[in-house]
Amino acid sequence: MNSDFLGIAGRTALVTGGARNIGRACALRLASAGVQVVIGDLLADQANQVADEIRAAGGSAIGCALDIADRVSVEACAARARERFGRIDVLVNNAALFSALGYQDFDQIPFEEWDRVIHTNITGTFQCVRAVTPDMKSSGWGRIVNVSSGTYRMGRPHFLHYVTSKASLAGMSRSLARELGQHGVTVNTVLPGVVLHGLQASRLPDQYKQMILNMQCVPQPLDCEAIANAVTFLCSEAARFVTGQELAIDGGLTHGG
Ligand SMILES: NC(=O)c1ccc[n+]([C@@H]2O[C@H](COP(=O)([O-])OP(=O)(O)OC[C@H]3O[C@@H](n4cnc5c(N)ncnc54)[C@H](O)[C@@H]3O)[C@@H](O)[C@H]2O)c1
């Protein structure tokens, strides 16, 4: 893909959870398409490092301390983005409570942990949408991509709060697409398959990793860049008639599911 095909150079994107892994890859890929990127994350230092990396490559970016679970923090990050770049055109809702969570039977999940996951992953996403849509409505153009998970199609066990939260994003996207389409704003969901990195790689047994590869049509390990390419397409001008959709990037793991 080149920037001309995508047609989004000069736009501004907020990528939540952009300090590492999938979010970081999305920030770098959008920047390579000429997008000005705001990298929001709890890990503010690492978010700043990603912004430094983008600027060193000739792009435009800032890091921003962000807790999507905290409405004040979300509003402050959106304000900082506007102060620096004028307005926000693109939102990649990638931040989530995910790799910090352990696997456990549903009846062992503490209620406090359930509430925290649901609040962060669902309400946090909603808060980010609320913070950026005024800009999109007033300019008549916007892109929102919600990062869900293939786990909800597969019904992954021992991760009920997470899977429930990710399933809700698909419904949120479809309904938002109906409300925002008239303003030139598209809303889509991506469903990454199993991307093995860091903690995620170390906590899954080799047998499980091999089983996933065997279930994929393309039996190769999935990487963050594959997710970032799909996200960038959905954020582009080229995808202007794609809305309310769920796109699985998983080597065919969940196809037909
Ligand atoms: N890695 C996978 O296999 C996989 C598969 C399916 C879906 N996903 C989804 O992709 C997204 C990114 O996954 P990842 O593997 O890169 O996860 P990760 O845990 O490595 O990164 C998540 C990032 O979000 C940030 N974050 C967490 N809570 C936050 C909050 N409240 N406010 C702001 N930032 C916050 C973290 O600091 C981190 O930088 C997540 O939404 C995850 O659910 C990942």
Side-chain angles (χ1 to χ4, degrees):
M1 280 193 280
N2 64 38
S3 313
D4 293 332
F5 164 72
L6 293 167
I8 44 170
R11 299 281 183 189
T12 299
L14 169 59
V15 179
T16 71
R20 67 183 185 197
N21 298 325
I22 293 175
R24 173 178 172 275
C26 291
L28 295 176
R29 186 66 190 86
L30 284 163
S32 77
V35 174
Q36 305 168 141
V37 187
V38 180
I39 298 130
D41 206 294
L42 284 175
L43 307 170
D45 289 347
Q46 280 179 244
N48 283 324
Q49 282 167 22
V50 177
D52 287 346
E53 208 178 321
I54 289 171
R55 286 195 300 268
S60 196
I62 56 169
C64 188
L66 170 68
D67 179 359
I68 62 164
D70 174 2
R71 205 180 317 158
V72 174
S73 169
V74 171
E75 288 295 345
C77 186
R80 176 135 163 62
R82 278 184 206 107
E83 187 184 285
R84 176 66 182 80
F85 296 119
R87 65 163 191 263
I88 301 161
D89 306 298
V90 172
L91 171 65
V92 180
N93 269 318
N94 167 77
L97 268 175
F98 166 55
S99 50
L101 300 170
Y103 300 130
Q104 51 199 327
D105 294 347
F106 76 92
D107 51 5
Q108 299 301 310
I109 297 174
F111 284 102
E112 182 280 332
E113 184 177 309
W114 173 276
D115 288 347
R116 205 157 46 87
V117 173
I118 296 298
H119 177 75
T120 302
N121 295 4
I122 303 178
T123 308
T125 298
F126 172 64
Q127 286 175 168
C128 293
V129 168
R130 286 287 294 266
V132 304
T133 40
D135 292 21
M136 297 176 180
K137 281 178 164 184
S138 67
S139 72
W141 195 97
R143 298 286 181 268
I144 298 173
V145 177
N146 291 324
V147 181
S148 175
S149 168
T151 54
Y152 108 77
R153 281 193 179 165
M154 299 178 77
R156 193 195 194 293
H158 312 304
F159 217 24
L160 194 67
H161 40 13
Y162 173 81
V163 175
T164 303
S165 73
K166 290 296 175 176
S168 95
L169 296 190
M172 189 191 289
S173 299
R174 288 183 181 201
S175 292
L176 277 173
R178 292 254 178 236
E179 289 197 46
L180 289 170
Q182 64 188 306
H183 301 288
V185 180
T186 66
V187 189
N188 290 289
T189 307
V190 291
L191 308 175
V194 179
V195 184
L196 295 171
H197 55 65
L199 186 61
Q200 169 72 343
S202 64
R203 69 182 178 161
L204 292 172
D206 288 343
Q207 206 183 356
Y208 179 81
K209 292 180 215 166
Q210 191 55 51
M211 183 192 78
I212 294 293
L213 284 184
N214 293 345
M215 287 168 67
Q216 292 179 193
C217 304
V218 180
Q220 291 162 16
L222 188 61
D223 55 35
C224 296
E225 287 67 33
I227 314 301
N229 281 333
V231 167
T232 300
F233 168 70
L234 291 171
C235 293
S236 74
E237 183 56 26
R240 68 188 181 282
F241 285 113
V242 182
T243 194
Q245 302 300 313
E246 287 166 36
L247 178 59
I249 309 107
D250 62 3
L253 178 68
T254 59
H255 91 81

Coordinates of all heavy atoms in Angstrom, one line a residue, residues 16-23 40-43 66-69 93-100 120-121 147-151 162 166 191-197 200 224, ligand 1:
T16 N -5.1 4.6 20.7 CA -5.0 4.4 22.2 C -4.2 3.1 22.4 O -4.2 2.1 21.5 CB -6.4 4.2 22.8 OG1 -7.0 3.0 22.3 CG2 -7.3 5.4 22.4
G17 N -3.5 3.0 23.5 CA -2.6 1.8 23.7 C -1.6 1.7 22.7 O -1.2 0.6 22.3
G18 N -1.1 2.8 22.2 CA -0.1 2.8 21.1 C 1.4 2.7 21.5 O 2.2 2.8 20.7
A19 N 1.6 2.4 22.8 CA 3.0 2.4 23.3 C 3.7 1.1 22.9 O 5.0 1.1 22.9 CB 3.0 2.6 24.8
R20 N 3.0 0.1 22.6 CA 3.7 -1.2 22.3 C 2.8 -2.1 21.5 O 1.6 -1.9 21.3 CB 4.1 -1.9 23.6 CG 2.9 -2.4 24.4 CD 3.3 -3.0 25.7 NE 2.1 -3.6 26.4 CZ 2.0 -3.9 27.6 NH1 3.1 -3.8 28.4 NH2 0.9 -4.4 28.1
N21 N 3.5 -3.1 20.9 CA 2.8 -4.2 20.2 C 1.8 -3.7 19.1 O 2.2 -3.0 18.3 CB 2.2 -5.2 21.2 CG 3.3 -5.8 22.1 OD1 4.4 -6.0 21.7 ND2 3.0 -6.0 23.4
I22 N 0.6 -4.2 19.2 CA -0.3 -3.9 18.1 C -0.6 -2.4 17.9 O -0.5 -1.9 16.8 CB -1.7 -4.7 18.3 CG1 -1.4 -6.2 18.1 CG2 -2.7 -4.2 17.3 CD1 -2.6 -7.0 18.4
G23 N -0.8 -1.7 19.0 CA -1.0 -0.3 19.0 C 0.2 0.5 18.4 O 0.0 1.4 17.6
G40 N -1.6 7.6 22.6 CA -2.1 7.7 24.0 C -1.9 6.4 24.7 O -2.3 5.3 24.2
D41 N -1.4 6.4 25.9 CA -1.2 5.2 26.6 C -1.0 5.5 28.1 O -0.4 6.5 28.5 CB 0.0 4.4 26.1 CG 0.0 2.9 26.3 OD1 0.0 2.5 27.5 OD2 -0.2 2.1 25.3
L42 N -1.3 4.5 28.9 CA -0.9 4.5 30.4 C 0.6 4.6 30.5 O 1.1 5.2 31.4 CB -1.3 3.2 31.1 CG -2.8 3.0 31.4 CD1 -3.0 1.6 32.0 CD2 -3.3 4.1 32.4
L43 N 1.3 4.0 29.6 CA 2.8 4.0 29.6 C 3.2 5.2 28.8 O 3.6 5.1 27.6 CB 3.3 2.7 28.9 CG 2.8 1.4 29.5 CD1 3.2 0.2 28.6 CD2 3.3 1.2 30.9
L66 N -2.5 8.7 28.8 CA -3.9 8.4 28.7 C -4.3 7.2 29.5 O -3.7 6.1 29.4 CB -4.2 8.2 27.2 CG -5.6 7.7 26.8 CD1 -6.7 8.7 27.1 CD2 -5.7 7.2 25.4
D67 N -5.4 7.4 30.2 CA -6.1 6.2 30.8 C -7.5 6.2 30.2 O -8.4 7.1 30.6 CB -6.1 6.3 32.3 CG -6.9 5.2 33.0 OD1 -7.4 4.3 32.2 OD2 -6.9 5.2 34.2
I68 N -7.8 5.3 29.3 CA -9.2 5.3 28.7 C -10.3 5.1 29.7 O -11.4 5.4 29.4 CB -9.3 4.3 27.5 CG1 -9.1 2.9 28.0 CG2 -8.3 4.7 26.4 CD1 -9.6 1.8 27.0
A69 N -9.9 4.5 30.9 CA -11.0 4.3 31.9 C -11.4 5.5 32.6 O -12.3 5.5 33.4 CB -10.4 3.2 32.9
N93 N -9.2 2.5 18.5 CA -9.5 2.1 19.9 C -8.9 0.8 20.1 O -9.5 -0.3 20.0 CB -11.1 2.0 20.1 CG -11.7 3.3 20.6 OD1 -11.1 4.0 21.4 ND2 -12.8 3.6 20.0
N94 N -7.6 0.9 20.5 CA -6.8 -0.4 20.6 C -6.5 -0.7 22.1 O -6.3 -1.9 22.4 CB -5.5 -0.2 19.9 CG -4.4 -1.2 20.2 OD1 -4.5 -2.3 19.8 ND2 -3.5 -0.8 21.1
A95 N -6.5 0.3 23.0 CA -6.1 0.1 24.4 C -7.2 -0.9 25.0 O -8.4 -0.7 24.8 CB -6.1 1.4 25.2
A96 N -6.7 -1.8 25.8 CA -7.6 -2.7 26.5 C -6.9 -3.3 27.7 O -5.6 -3.5 27.6 CB -8.1 -3.8 25.6
L97 N -7.6 -3.7 28.7 CA -7.1 -4.6 29.7 C -7.0 -6.0 29.0 O -8.1 -6.6 28.7 CB -8.0 -4.7 30.9 CG -7.6 -3.7 32.0 CD1 -8.6 -3.7 33.1 CD2 -6.2 -4.0 32.6
F98 N -5.8 -6.5 28.8 CA -5.7 -7.8 28.0 C -4.6 -8.6 28.6 O -4.8 -9.6 29.3 CB -5.5 -7.4 26.5 CG -5.0 -8.6 25.7 CD1 -5.7 -9.8 25.7 CD2 -3.9 -8.5 24.9 CE1 -5.3 -10.9 24.9 CE2 -3.4 -9.6 24.2 CZ -4.1 -10.8 24.2
S99 N -3.3 -8.2 28.2 CA -2.2 -9.1 28.6 C -1.9 -9.1 30.1 O -1.2 -9.9 30.6 CB -1.0 -8.7 27.8 OG -0.7 -7.4 27.8
A100 N -2.5 -8.1 30.8 CA -2.3 -8.1 32.3 C -3.2 -9.1 33.0 O -3.1 -9.3 34.2 CB -2.6 -6.7 32.8
T120 N -13.1 -0.7 31.6 CA -12.0 -0.2 30.8 C -12.3 -0.5 29.3 O -12.2 0.4 28.4 CB -10.7 -0.9 31.2 OG1 -10.4 -0.6 32.6 CG2 -9.5 -0.4 30.3
N121 N -12.6 -1.8 29.0 CA -12.7 -2.2 27.6 C -13.9 -1.7 26.9 O -13.9 -1.5 25.7 CB -12.6 -3.7 27.5 CG -11.2 -4.2 27.9 OD1 -10.4 -3.4 28.4 ND2 -11.0 -5.5 27.9
V147 N -10.7 -2.2 18.1 CA -9.9 -3.5 18.1 C -10.6 -4.4 19.0 O -10.5 -4.3 20.2 CB -8.4 -3.2 18.4 CG1 -7.7 -4.5 18.4 CG2 -7.8 -2.2 17.5
S148 N -11.2 -5.4 18.4 CA -11.9 -6.4 19.2 C -11.0 -7.7 19.3 O -9.8 -7.5 19.4 CB -13.3 -6.8 18.5 OG -13.9 -7.8 19.2
S149 N -11.5 -8.8 19.1 CA -10.7 -10.0 19.2 C -11.4 -11.2 18.6 O -12.7 -11.4 18.8 CB -10.3 -10.3 20.6 OG -9.8 -11.6 20.7
G150 N -10.7 -12.1 17.9 CA -11.3 -13.3 17.4 C -11.7 -14.3 18.5 O -12.5 -15.2 18.2
T151 N -11.3 -14.0 19.7 CA -11.7 -14.9 20.8 C -13.2 -14.9 21.0 O -13.8 -15.9 21.4 CB -11.1 -14.4 22.2 OG1 -11.4 -13.1 22.4 CG2 -9.6 -14.6 22.2
Y162 N -13.0 -10.6 29.5 CA -12.3 -10.1 28.3 C -13.1 -10.4 27.0 O -13.4 -9.5 26.2 CB -10.9 -10.7 28.2 CG -10.2 -10.3 26.9 CD1 -9.6 -9.1 26.8 CD2 -10.1 -11.2 25.8 CE1 -8.9 -8.7 25.6 CE2 -9.5 -10.9 24.6 CZ -8.9 -9.6 24.5 OH -8.3 -9.3 23.4
K166 N -15.0 -7.8 24.5 CA -14.6 -7.6 23.0 C -15.8 -7.9 22.1 O -15.9 -7.3 21.1 CB -13.4 -8.6 22.7 CG -12.1 -8.2 23.4 CD -11.6 -6.8 22.8 CE -10.4 -6.3 23.4 NZ -9.9 -5.1 22.8
L191 N -10.7 -8.0 14.2 CA -10.7 -9.1 15.0 C -9.3 -9.8 14.8 O -9.1 -10.6 14.0 CB -11.7 -10.1 14.7 CG -13.2 -9.6 14.6 CD1 -14.1 -10.8 14.1 CD2 -13.7 -9.1 15.9
P192 N -8.3 -9.3 15.6 CA -7.0 -10.0 15.5 C -7.1 -11.4 15.9 O -7.9 -11.8 16.8 CB -6.1 -9.2 16.4 CG -6.8 -7.9 16.6 CD -8.2 -8.2 16.6
G193 N -6.3 -12.3 15.3 CA -6.2 -13.7 15.8 C -5.1 -13.7 16.9 O -5.0 -12.7 17.7
V194 N -4.4 -14.7 17.0 CA -3.4 -14.8 18.1 C -2.1 -14.2 17.6 O -1.4 -14.7 16.7 CB -3.2 -16.3 18.5 CG1 -2.2 -16.4 19.6 CG2 -4.5 -16.9 18.9
V195 N -1.7 -13.0 18.2 CA -0.4 -12.4 17.9 C 0.5 -12.7 19.1 O 0.2 -12.2 20.2 CB -0.6 -10.9 17.7 CG1 0.7 -10.2 17.3 CG2 -1.7 -10.6 16.7
L196 N 1.5 -13.4 18.9 CA 2.3 -13.8 20.0 C 3.5 -12.8 20.2 O 4.3 -12.7 19.3 CB 2.9 -15.2 19.7 CG 1.9 -16.3 19.7 CD1 2.5 -17.6 19.2 CD2 1.2 -16.5 21.1
H197 N 3.5 -12.2 21.3 CA 4.6 -11.2 21.6 C 4.7 -11.2 23.1 O 3.8 -11.4 23.8 CB 4.3 -9.8 21.1 CG 3.0 -9.3 21.6 ND1 2.7 -9.0 22.9 CD2 1.8 -9.0 20.9 CE1 1.5 -8.6 23.0 NE2 0.9 -8.5 21.9
Q200 N 2.3 -12.4 26.2 CA 1.3 -13.2 25.4 C 2.0 -14.5 25.0 O 1.4 -15.6 25.1 CB 0.8 -12.3 24.3 CG 0.0 -12.9 23.3 CD -1.4 -13.3 23.7 OE1 -1.7 -13.4 24.9 NE2 -2.3 -13.6 22.8
C224 N 2.1 -8.1 14.5 CA 1.4 -6.9 14.7 C 1.2 -6.1 13.4 O 0.2 -5.4 13.3 CB 2.2 -6.0 15.7 SG 2.3 -6.8 17.3
Ligands
LIG1 N1 -2.1 -10.0 21.0 C1 -3.2 -10.7 20.6 O1 -3.1 -11.9 20.3 C2 -4.5 -10.0 20.5 C3 -5.5 -10.8 19.9 C4 -6.8 -10.3 19.8 C5 -7.0 -9.0 20.1 N2 -6.0 -8.2 20.7 C6 -6.4 -6.9 21.1 O2 -5.5 -6.0 20.5 C7 -5.2 -4.8 21.3 C8 -3.7 -4.7 21.6 O3 -3.2 -5.9 22.0 P1 -1.7 -6.1 22.4 O4 -1.4 -7.6 22.3 O5 -0.9 -5.1 21.7 O6 -1.8 -5.8 24.0 P2 -0.8 -5.2 25.0 O7 -1.3 -5.5 26.3 O8 0.6 -5.6 24.7 O9 -0.9 -3.6 24.8 C9 -2.0 -2.9 25.2 C10 -1.6 -1.5 25.4 O10 -2.7 -0.8 25.9 C11 -2.3 0.0 27.0 N3 -3.4 0.2 27.9 C12 -4.0 -0.8 28.7 N4 -4.9 -0.2 29.5 C13 -5.0 1.1 29.1 C14 -5.8 2.2 29.6 N5 -6.7 2.0 30.5 N6 -5.6 3.4 29.0 C15 -4.7 3.5 28.0 N7 -3.8 2.5 27.6 C16 -4.0 1.3 28.2 C17 -1.1 -0.8 27.6 O11 -0.3 0.0 28.4 C18 -0.4 -1.3 26.4 O12 0.5 -0.4 25.9 C19 -6.0 -5.1 22.6 O13 -7.3 -4.4 22.5 C20 -6.2 -6.6 22.6 O14 -7.4 -6.9 23.3 C21 -4.8 -8.7 20.9

